[in-house]
Amino acid sequence: MAFATRPFVRFSSATAAAKKLVVKHVAVIGGGLMGAGIAQIAAATGHTVILVDQSDEILNKSKKGIEDSLKKLTKKKFADKPEAGAEFIEKTLKNLTTSTDPVSVVHSTDLVVEAIVENLAVKNELFKTLDKFAPEHTIFASNTSSLPITEIANATTRQDRFGGLHFFNPVPLMKLVEVIKTPMTSQKTFESLMDFSKALGKNPVSCKDTPGFIVNRLLVPYLMEAVRLFERGDAAKEDIDVAMKLGAGYPMGPFELLDYVGLDTSKFIIDGWHLLEPDNPLFAPSPLLDKLVEEKKLGKKTGEGFYKYK
C-alpha cells in the first residue's frame, strides 16, 4: 500500500491518556470481506467510520457488499416495518465514508482497525507509517487471526495502545470478538477495546497473545488431526465428517469446514505456527494438505478441495 507523506503536528494528551477512551471515530484499513464487515457493524452502531483501501474500485465493491448485507439484515430485522428498515440503512451509510489515503484519515480517528493481507512485513509497514500521523490517544488494533500481535505492535511507538480485535466471518452475524492483550497493552486500552466490542453488539472474550488466540488455537489442531486420521487410513473423510456432526453435534465436519475456510488459509496458519514451535506435534504440517494446496485444490472457492463442488 502506497502512502503520501504529509506534515502532522502531534499534540500531547497526558490528560486524555488518564481516562478510558470511548471510541467514536473508527478507521478500518482493508476493504475485503472482514474489513467491510467491521466497517458495516461500526457504522450501524452509530460510529463514524472511514473504510480505506488501495483503489476506488475495491472500495466501490466493498460499499456494494455492505449495502447488500444491510438489505438482507433489514428484511429480517424490520420485516413488519420496511420504512424503519430503509431509515436504518440510510443512517448506517451516512456514517460510512471511504478513502484511498490512510495517512489523511488517521489524524481524526480514535481507533484504527487493520484487516489487510496476512503478511507481517506488510502490516508492520502500514502501522509504522500510520504511527507517525495518528494522534497520541489513537488506539491501533489488528484483526489478524494467526500473526503475533506483539510483533505487529513493535513496529510502532504505541505498544501500550495496541491490541488485537479478532472478528469472525461473516462479521455482521458472528457474535464473537477475541480481544487480545499483549504484555505491553495498557489496561485502559484493553478496557476501551472490550467496551468498543460490546458497543458493536458483540460478545468479547479476552486472551493473551498466544498462537491462534482461543478459537483457532483449538480449532486448527482439531482440523489437522482429522486430516492425519484420514492420512493414516484410520477412517474415510466422509465418515469422520458424519461422526463429528452426529457424535459431537458440530454443524460441519472437519473436512467440510476446511473446504469452506480454504485449504490455503489453514496451511498458512499451521505453517506459521510450525515455524514458531517446530517441536509441537499439534503444529506439524500435513503432506496431504500441502499436496492439495500445491495442486490449487483450495476448497469451495476453487471448486475442489477434499471434496468436489459443482
Side-chain angles (χ1 to χ4, degrees):
M1 191 178 282
F3 302 100
T5 43
R6 302 181 181 181
F8 178 78
V9 180
R10 180 183 290 181
F11 296 96
S12 173
S13 58
T15 308
K19 296 179 181 177
K20 186 167 61 174
L21 176 68
V22 178
V23 174
K24 296 179 181 177
H25 307 288
V26 184
V28 180
I29 315 294
L33 271 178
M34 296 303 293
I38 296 165
Q40 175 184 323
I41 59 170
T45 48
H47 299 84
T48 303
V49 183
I50 303 177
L51 180 61
V52 182
D53 212 306
Q54 292 172 293
S55 71
D56 287 326
E57 184 182 355
I58 294 171
L59 290 167
N60 288 336
K61 187 178 176 183
S62 302
K63 282 199 80 172
K64 187 182 184 306
I66 290 170
E67 287 175 24
D68 291 344
S69 174
L70 286 169
K71 285 173 185 173
K72 283 181 185 176
L73 288 172
T74 51
K75 273 186 182 178
K76 293 181 180 178
K77 191 175 180 181
F78 299 97
D80 302 326
K81 301 175 182 176
E83 288 182 5
E87 187 181 337
F88 173 74
I89 292 174
E90 185 184 356
K91 191 180 283 188
T92 299
L93 294 176
K94 271 187 181 178
N95 288 334
L96 177 66
T97 55
T98 60
S99 174
T100 55
D101 183 5
V103 165
S104 70
V105 304
V106 295
H107 70 276
S108 59
T109 194
D110 299 319
L111 172 67
V112 174
V113 182
E114 166 272 313
I116 62 172
V117 63
E118 285 286 83
N119 180 299
L120 183 61
V122 176
K123 290 181 190 290
N124 282 352
E125 185 60 33
L126 170 68
F127 279 118
K128 184 179 178 182
T129 302
L130 297 184
D131 190 40
K132 298 172 185 174
F133 297 92
E136 291 208 11
H137 80 274
T138 303
I139 294 172
F140 285 177
S142 175
N143 180 57
T144 183
S145 60
S146 61
L147 298 173
I149 298 294
T150 303
E151 289 190 30
I152 305 172
N154 284 342
T156 75
T157 60
R158 64 182 75 214
Q159 290 98 330
D160 60 323
R161 286 149 286 153
F162 205 115
L165 278 179
H166 182 219
F167 293 83
F168 291 81
N169 188 36
V171 178
L173 299 179
M174 299 292 277
K175 285 291 185 183
L176 185 67
V177 178
E178 292 176 324
V179 180
I180 312 307
K181 186 179 183 182
T182 77
M184 299 166 292
T185 307
S186 72
Q187 184 63 23
K188 292 181 182 67
T189 295
F190 171 71
E191 288 174 8
S192 294
L193 291 174
M194 290 289 284
D195 288 350
F196 173 68
S197 301
K198 290 173 186 174
L200 298 179
K202 302 299 185 186
N203 276 332
V205 294
S206 65
C207 184
K208 291 181 179 178
D209 189 17
T210 186
F213 315 136
I214 298 173
V215 174
N216 282 338
R217 181 61 182 258
L218 296 174
L219 179 63
V220 174
Y222 152 72
L223 295 175
M224 294 303 296
E225 191 56 27
V227 175
R228 294 184 194 108
L229 194 68
F230 176 50
E231 279 180 319
R232 291 194 300 267
D234 293 339
K237 62 180 183 292
E238 294 85 358
D239 287 343
I240 295 171
D241 277 349
V242 169
M244 294 312 295
K245 285 188 286 187
L246 300 185
Y250 288 10
M252 299 174 78
F255 294 96
E256 292 170 328
L257 185 55
L258 280 160
D259 277 356
Y260 178 79
V261 170
L263 304 192
D264 53 334
T265 301
S266 298
K267 174 176 161 53
F268 176 83
I269 293 171
I270 207 69
D271 286 353
W273 294 357
H274 182 61
L275 284 173
L276 288 172
E277 299 182 27
D279 297 327
N280 191 332
L282 291 174
F283 300 162
S286 155
L288 177 57
L289 183 64
D290 291 348
K291 180 175 179 288
L292 289 170
V293 172
E294 189 179 341
E295 293 171 352
K296 307 295 182 190
K297 296 174 181 176
L298 308 181
K300 291 194 79 171
K301 61 186 174 185
T302 59
E304 185 176 354
F306 284 103
Y307 296 110
K308 289 185 179 179
Y309 303 88
K310 292 180 182 179

